[in-house]
Amino acid sequence: MDNSRRKFIKQSAIASAGVYLGTMGMSAKSYSKIIGANDRVRIGVVGFSDRFRNSLFPSFLNHHKELNFEIVAVSDLWKLRREQGQGFLEQKLGNKVQAFRNNDELYTMKDLNGVFISTADFQHALLTIEAVKAGCDAYVEKPFAETMEDNRAALKAVRATDRIVQIGSQRRSGLNYKAAERFIKEGRFGNITMVELTWNVNQPGRWRRPELVAKCREEDTDWKRFLLNRPFEAWDPRKYLEYRLFWPYSSGLPGQWMSHQIDTVHWFTDLKHPRSVVANGGVYQWKDGRRNWDTMTAVFDYGPENDMSTGFQVTFNSRMHNGDEKPSEIYYSNGGELNLITNKVSPKGGLTEKAAAAMGMKANLLPEVNLTEKVERVAASANTGADALTSAHVRNWMECVRSRKQPNAPVEAGYNHSVANIMTTAASRSGSKATFDSKTQEVMVGGKVFKW
């Protein structure tokens, strides 16, 4: 075959592929990212954080050889963390890992398939946009977004691609949580009437990093890039490293802990967001200059937007000055409770025969049911290693990167928990009830759009 004919056939094949991909909504760039069954999947790390080092990385190690994944790059704005990340990963993995000062440099890397994103809370949504636009799949830590502007933009960006995005809501990969979802959705629990969520700790150093703060210098970081779309503030190493204490870099308790627990409410009920939220709290113990509360209670009304005659209440309580760090999630119905501390359904608190007879009613008592034989404990700390839930969740993302199926916690899960978080922030910062306008996709307070 002469060269001109070979060239013609090759060009025709490329053109045909382009037409086919166009019908699939795929660009040539996204097509180049499709991973073959036997190809090694090349992953980058965006933010060499404690969460990545102590939880996501051990989880990755559990599965990377079997699924043929490797980590080839780390991007971190801080010189110290960037160098630590490169050295740590090369030592643990035995392969060369490139270090990049920022994501612009990272995404020039050839054949990068995906990234772990575990940075400051407010950056997650914006860095997800960067990742999918660069043609990369992403495992993104929660909270997904802290403002509706970022939340809407990230949802739109992900949906415009064929990228696999897993939100770090690891409960969705737990056998006990999956069993609870089935039990509720099969109608065996009855109508949910209330949900109590609690998460309490007593750790003065929680979210504080004084020794690390002392090492952090402005000349070793990129403060402007760190701020992204937040209002400019003068350099402050505490805000860089202890961002969870300072709005607008984090909502604190709602974004860190409530986002996990409120996600189960959405998942178990197929409701996307609360109808309304009120919240109260304050800084009652740790007077260390933080902006975000160390104690709060939020109360939610959930139910169909078009039927106010039905629904249920959710409460979220969290305190950082007294507690044993054992997150609690208890679902109630008229017949009893579903307790995700014990992973049991029981008739506790249900309508007894005696109480029912007084009103000419029948008793309503749930049976005793073990949701799972194997209890999977929630790892409350970010530094507990590869707990079963996180390991299963990371594996689910890795499998979906290969299969191109949607993961257990797709981008919509992150968008929805972020709506609840942002409503809580609006209620707590305004002192008024917050609602959500589904048409405009805006959080409302007093009939006006909440401006953070």
Side-chain angles (χ1 to χ4, degrees), residues 171-445:
R171 280 165 169 74
R172 290 193 178 224
S173 293
L175 296 179
N176 50 337
Y177 285 91
K178 290 179 180 179
E181 181 214 11
R182 287 194 300 272
F183 192 88
I184 289 171
K185 287 185 175 178
E186 287 170 358
R188 297 160 65 193
F189 186 64
N191 293 330
I192 296 170
T193 52
M194 187 172 181
V195 183
E196 290 180 349
L197 310 173
T198 60
W199 201 316
N200 302 318
V201 304
N202 193 1
Q203 300 170 358
R206 192 67 183 245
W207 303 347
R208 295 294 311 276
R209 303 302 304 274
E211 292 183 6
L212 204 56
V213 166
K215 298 178 182 178
C216 194
R217 302 180 302 171
E218 185 175 8
E219 57 266 33
D220 293 333
T221 66
D222 190 335
W223 178 241
K224 269 192 170 182
R225 188 180 284 269
F226 172 83
L227 292 174
L228 292 175
N229 63 357
R230 286 335 188 231
F232 179 78
E233 291 190 75
W235 161 252
D236 185 341
R238 286 197 67 196
K239 295 185 179 73
Y240 188 90
L241 290 168
E242 300 177 352
Y243 55 84
R244 292 185 180 94
L245 305 178
F246 300 98
W247 175 260
Y249 312 111
S250 173
S251 57
L253 297 171
Q256 276 301 299
W257 292 335
M258 192 189 81
S259 62
H260 278 302
Q261 295 185 317
I262 209 71
D263 177 64
T264 66
V265 176
H266 300 158
W267 178 28
F268 293 172
T269 66
D270 291 328
L271 294 169
K272 295 180 179 180
H273 56 78
R275 291 190 292 212
S276 66
V277 187
V278 292
N280 212 336
V283 179
Y284 298 115
Q285 175 66 31
W286 306 119
K287 312 289 186 179
D288 54 9
R290 67 183 65 194
R291 294 175 186 167
N292 292 332
W293 293 345
D294 63 14
T295 310
M296 78 169 301
T297 297
V299 183
F300 304 82
D301 174 53
Y302 270 89
E305 289 185 274
N306 60 355
D307 185 2
M308 298 300 290
S309 68
T310 184
F312 57 95
Q313 186 179 82
V314 177
T315 61
F316 170 75
N317 294 278
S318 186
R319 59 182 182 268
M320 300 185 72
H321 46 77
N322 178 284
D324 55 7
E325 198 172 18
K326 292 181 180 177
S328 165
E329 294 156 86
I330 306 176
Y331 285 70
Y332 297 97
S333 74
N334 181 250
E337 70 174 35
L338 186 156
N339 189 320
L340 282 161
I341 308 170
T342 62
N343 291 308
K344 292 182 178 179
V345 175
S346 76
K348 183 179 178 181
L351 183 61
T352 64
E353 185 175 355
K354 182 178 179 181
M359 293 297 295
M361 301 168 67
K362 292 183 179 180
N364 181 16
L365 296 171
L366 291 170
E368 296 272 0
V369 177
N370 287 326
L371 290 172
T372 54
E373 291 300 320
K374 180 182 177 183
V375 175
E376 291 179 319
R377 298 293 182 192
V378 175
S381 172
N383 304 319
T384 52
D387 62 274
L389 291 184
T390 302
S391 183
H393 205 52
V394 169
R395 181 185 179 92
N396 173 250
W397 175 65
M398 294 165 74
E399 290 176 336
C400 290
V401 167
R402 287 208 170 278
S403 70
R404 311 315 293 172
K405 294 179 180 178
Q406 281 298 300
N408 289 339
V411 66
E412 288 79 9
Y415 179 86
N416 292 338
H417 82 226
S418 295
V419 170
N421 291 353
I422 296 161
M423 290 174 70
T424 305
T425 298
S428 62
R429 296 185 67 80
S430 69
S432 301
K433 180 186 287 188
T435 58
F436 185 68
D437 188 325
S438 296
K439 292 182 179 178
T440 63
Q441 301 292 292
E442 292 281 9
V443 171
M444 311 295 291
V445 176

Side-chain angles (χ1 to χ4, degrees), residues 120-126 146 150 226-230 248-249:
D121 293 352
F122 75 98
Q123 297 172 337
H124 293 159
L126 299 172
E146 296 279 24
D150 295 349
F226 172 83
L227 292 174
L228 292 175
N229 63 357
R230 286 335 188 231
Y249 312 111

